[in-house]
Amino acid sequence: MKKIFYAPLLFASSLLYAETMHMAEEVRVITSKPEYRMVTSRVPYQECWDEQVAVQYAPPPPSEGSGVAGALIGGVAGGVLGHQIGSGRGNTAATVGGAIVGTLVGKNIAEQSASSTPPPPGYRMERRCTTRYEEKSSEQFMGYRNTANYKGQTIVKYSDKPLEFIHLDLMVTY
């Protein structure tokens, strides 16, 4: 138990007597070389062209009375034809039958003729654009790599200009 108590006490007392010493030294630079790196930038640009586009027009909605006129004309024509074909007591039945068939046929023909001819497609010019990128690469100056040796160790310091000496701040604790 006493050993455990004395070890931290000895360590703490050694810290009380520790001292630190600061020194400044200059080390001569052996090599000073400029360093560059490749930088790539992407510059956007727009590419545009005119394009002819087909335009489909919607057919007009059928008007309310589009089949009525055809039904009336067909009914009258069918009734006249039925009356011409029939004779005697069947004359009335032939006239009514002709009128009904004529009405249906006339209405169908009128509705088909109104909606069967779609307008021809039209064309218009539209401007289309897309964004593309142009890549440009160039070497960019990073700075000078200054190299020196201090007590067997290589020291490197980067700067904007070549250096003759590298300044070192040393701290020794004992």
Side-chain angles (χ1 to χ4, degrees), residues 54-125:
V55 179
Q56 291 290 342
Y57 295 103
S63 62
E64 292 294 320
S66 65
V68 174
L72 285 175
I73 293 171
V76 169
V80 169
L81 282 174
H83 186 70
Q84 296 294 325
I85 294 172
S87 61
R89 296 181 114 191
N91 194 11
T92 306
T95 303
V96 171
I100 291 172
V101 171
T103 301
L104 294 174
V105 171
K107 182 175 186 215
N108 284 340
I109 290 173
E111 286 176 350
Q112 284 179 357
S113 66
S115 64
S116 66
T117 54
Y123 295 94
R124 73 169 182 241
M125 296 300 283

Side-chain angles (χ1 to χ4, degrees), residues 9-19 174:
L9 188 61
L10 284 173
F11 179 72
S13 64
S14 67
L15 289 178
L16 293 175
Y17 293 108
E19 290 194 26
Y174 58 96

Side-chain angles (χ1 to χ4, degrees), residues 24 40 74 79 81 87 92 102 127 130-131 154 161-162 171 173:
T40 302
L81 282 174
S87 61
T92 306
R127 186 89 170 150
T130 184
T131 301
T154 302
K161 58 185 179 182
M171 183 173 70
T173 304

Side-chain angles (χ1 to χ4, degrees), residues 32 62 65 69 85 141:
S32 185
I85 294 172
F141 176 69

